[in-house]
Amino acid sequence: MIIMKFGGTSVRDSDAVERLITIVSEKTPQKAVVVVSALSGVTDTLTQIAQHSSNGHVEDALRLTAQLEERHLEMTEKLLSGNKDLLTQVRDTIIHLFARLNEMVRVISILEELSDMSMAKILSYGEILSSTIIHKAMLNYGLKCAFADARNFIVTDSRYLKGEPQINVICRKVPELLTREFEGNDIIITQGFISATIDGTATTLGRGGSDYTAALIGMAADATEIQIWTDVDGVHTTDPGKVSKTKSIPVMSFSEAAELSFFGAKVLHPATIQPAIEKNIPVRVLNSMEPHKKGTLIRSDNEVSENGVRAISFKENIIVINVFSMKMLNSFGFLTRLFEIFGKYGTSVDLISTSEVNVSLTVNSDNNLEAIISEISLFAVVSVSRDKSQVSVVGKNLKETKGLGKRIFGAISDHNITMISQGASDINISFVVNRSDLAEVVSSLHKEFFE
Ligand code: ADP
Ligand code: ASP
Ligand code: MG
């Protein structure tokens, strides 16, 4: 049994859905769980709708919901025009879902208050809509396909917008689902990204979380392969959206893929690889627009032998926090105190570098930053640098690769480097540059290693 996840661009319109159906039908009668995202851009639009509502701008919100409704109806007409019954069923469901969404918009705009709980509910419409349409399009094509609501088995804690999956519950519920729904069916279609607490309140796995859904189902179902179908033919040497001569990487290790995604490569959600490692399930990244290309196979570390630099990832907009305190000198417990503050606010720190009296660290977002800084200021001097980017060179056995530092920093010697972090892992050298230098830095590094 395989898991096939199709991202937003791979379901963006009726042509994309037809390609999806061809790809899936070529796998049958092998059993497959198909995980779909919302149509491209829909989660962003739902976010705007929620924001307009909470600002009391009900007209703006309703204008956007009307556009979304139109887009989904139009796609349905194109896919199901030959089957009146299915077309009517799906049209009715879409109209009903938008009526409910509009009700929520009105209530939120009256209250002018948007909780994370309401936001998660609103965001869940994107995947519910796409999966409903695609399910019926598959039936129309003649595939034996069951529909499953991910909120019944992807169970998380109550962090509504970035729920922590409850692995034990998921590992119990998914096999039950498969036994039930594969009876007489080859395919089960479900939604990525959306989830629920154990008592059924909507949550999400965080932006880009559909990849994670696919991996969680793969782990719980002991799948033979997890396929991530997207708009590029595999994981590339760097983001092909930013650099022109990137190459698809045929094979890479779990560790390399996890590190690349954690350090910014959007092609995989950062949590995707962990469930795959758990059961040693290969992950394949494939292009839904060019399905016969080989893409990238991600497999266990000991099956990937090639040493050296594999890829470059980056985070365009990060914040560097510098902490200075004479109290650090010859004392203990300082770092504990410092990191407890980040822990308390649930803010994760990416890079750290320390000297006798200084600690520099990087964070991804402004969330709770003011509170964090004011707490640190009680015992140290803090300064914040913005408009910085973080670049990571990822590969295997980097510590043993002679002359690597010279090649990396030689290639970008015209640029200022704010912070360097190497050594914590053998597969990553990361550093911070000015955001205005990022494009040149990445393209110079890419030239040095891959062109
Ligand atoms: P999906 O909607 O299918 O989940 P995403 O937009 O989330 O797709 O991820 C695919 C995008 O990831 C690509 O279009 C590409 O711009 C970006 N990306 C960033 N780094 C890489 C990389 N190293 N290799 C491939 N794609 C990358
Ligand atoms: N639709 C969600 C998002 O855009 C989840 C996903 O596509 O992975 O973030
Ligand atoms: Mg994605």
Side-chain angles (χ1 to χ4, degrees):
M1 198 266 300
I2 58 172
I3 315 296
M4 307 174 84
K5 176 260 170 175
F6 291 84
T9 40
S10 304
V11 298
R12 72 169 166 225
D13 53 24
S14 57
D15 289 345
V17 173
E18 274 162 6
R19 278 195 296 272
L20 174 157
I21 292 175
T22 310
I23 293 168
V24 173
S25 66
E26 281 172 4
K27 302 287 173 195
T28 54
Q30 180 178 201
K31 304 271 187 212
V33 178
V34 173
V35 176
V36 294
S37 293
L39 317 196
S40 60
V42 166
T43 311
D44 287 337
T45 308
L46 289 167
T47 308
Q48 287 170 20
I49 288 169
Q51 280 156 358
H52 281 315
S53 313
S54 69
N55 293 334
H57 300 154
V58 67
E59 298 305 328
D60 292 332
L62 292 176
R63 186 175 41 79
L64 291 179
T65 61
Q67 283 168 10
L68 279 189
E69 183 169 6
E70 186 55 40
R71 180 172 170 196
H72 286 90
L73 285 172
E74 195 184 303
M75 175 169 157
T76 307
E77 304 278 350
K78 285 193 180 148
L79 287 166
L80 296 173
S81 58
N83 188 327
K84 267 222 146 60
D85 281 352
L86 286 179
L87 178 61
T88 314
Q89 275 178 41
V90 180
R91 283 186 111 259
D92 289 352
T93 309
I94 293 175
I95 290 165
H96 171 73
L97 286 168
F98 276 96
R100 295 209 48 188
L101 179 59
N102 287 342
E103 257 174 60
M104 281 183 64
V105 162
R106 288 198 185 88
V107 171
I108 291 169
S109 69
I110 291 168
L111 297 174
E112 294 198 18
E113 191 181 81
L114 178 68
S115 64
D116 286 355
M117 199 201 253
S118 314
M119 184 65 150
K121 263 200 188 97
I122 291 181
L123 293 184
S124 68
Y125 278 78
E127 269 72 9
I128 293 293
L129 285 157
S130 64
S131 58
T132 303
I133 300 169
I134 298 167
H135 172 230
K136 292 295 196 299
M138 287 207 199
L139 294 180
N140 186 40
Y141 187 88
L143 295 176
K144 293 182 187 153
C145 179
F147 180 90
D149 189 325
R151 292 168 298 185
N152 294 331
F153 54 90
I154 301 294
V155 175
T156 70
D157 67 6
S158 57
R159 270 172 276 183
Y160 298 103
L161 295 178
K162 205 166 194 288
E164 183 63 33
Q166 309 293 288
I167 301 293
N168 291 338
V169 185
I170 294 172
C171 284
R172 180 167 47 77
K173 287 186 175 254
V174 168
E176 286 168 10
L177 168 91
L178 302 188
T179 312
R180 198 171 56 241
E181 301 296 347
F182 274 141
E183 184 81 45
N185 288 308
D186 296 324
I187 299 157
I188 299 173
I189 185 169
T190 189
Q191 310 79 25
F193 176 59
I194 69 173
S195 42
T197 60
I198 193 76
D199 55 16
T201 309
T203 61
T204 76
L205 298 178
R207 293 303 307 268
S210 295
D211 304 328
Y212 193 19
T213 307
L216 288 167
I217 298 176
M219 176 189 68
D222 272 324
T224 50
E225 185 166 295
I226 298 163
Q227 299 183 345
I228 305 292
W229 290 87
T230 181
D231 60 354
V232 280
D233 57 333
V235 180
H236 279 222
T237 44
T238 193
D239 184 349
K242 291 278 158 61
V243 174
S244 54
K245 290 187 183 150
T246 62
K247 298 183 185 81
S248 174
I249 303 167
V251 182
M252 67 196 308
S253 68
F254 283 143
S255 307
E256 289 167 338
E259 201 82 350
L260 261 189
S261 57
F262 183 75
F263 284 100
K266 190 189 166 207
V267 63
L268 288 174
H269 181 278
T272 310
I273 297 299
Q274 196 49 47
I277 293 177
E278 228 28 73
K279 293 273 179 79
N280 194 13
I281 304 170
V283 177
R284 228 179 257 279
V285 181
L286 294 152
N287 188 344
S288 67
M289 273 163 294
E290 294 180 285
H292 299 297
K293 286 202 167 171
K294 281 212 152 53
T296 298
L297 174 63
I298 304 168
R299 59 203 304 199
S300 78
D301 292 18
N302 52 27
E303 287 170 296
V304 179
S305 51
E306 207 185 318
N307 282 347
V309 173
R310 190 87 67 222
I312 300 158
S313 63
F314 51 86
K315 290 187 179 178
E316 187 173 348
N317 188 13
I318 56 129
I319 300 164
V320 179
I321 302 172
N322 293 296
V323 181
F324 167 83
S325 171
M326 288 306 283
K327 286 188 206 137
M328 261 180 90
L329 208 59
N330 293 328
S331 73
F332 51 85
F334 184 88
L335 290 179
T336 310
R337 195 169 171 198
L338 181 63
F339 287 109
E340 262 170 11
I341 297 172
F342 287 93
K344 178 174 149 191
Y345 288 99
T347 298
S348 72
V349 171
D350 282 350
L351 299 185
I352 312 160
S353 112
T354 64
S355 72
E356 271 177 351
V357 289
N358 267 301
V359 184
S360 295
L361 34 86
T362 67
V363 294
N364 264 332
S365 85
D366 262 331
N367 283 352
N368 298 316
L369 198 56
E370 250 176 63
I372 291 171
I373 289 166
S374 73
E375 287 205 29
I376 302 174
S377 303
L378 296 176
F379 59 91
V381 178
V382 193
S383 66
V384 173
S385 315
R386 288 173 192 277
D387 289 325
K388 300 286 178 197
S389 301
Q390 181 175 313
V391 180
S392 302
V393 175
V394 173
K396 189 171 180 193
N397 277 339
L398 295 188
K399 275 186 202 162
E400 273 81 64
T401 310
K402 286 210 177 77
L404 189 58
K406 189 172 164 201
R407 282 185 76 188
I408 295 175
F409 296 111
I412 56 169
S413 58
D414 290 345
H415 301 281
N416 206 21
I417 295 161
T418 316
M419 186 177 159
I420 302 177
S421 165
Q422 190 207 351
S425 84
D426 197 18
I427 58 169
N428 173 354
I429 299 173
S430 290
F431 49 90
V432 174
V433 297
N434 292 328
R435 192 173 172 182
S436 53
D437 291 348
L438 178 68
E440 263 186 48
V441 164
V442 175
S443 95
S444 304
L445 280 175
H446 195 266
K447 258 195 203 101
E448 172 65 29
F449 288 101
F450 303 108
E451 291 174 27

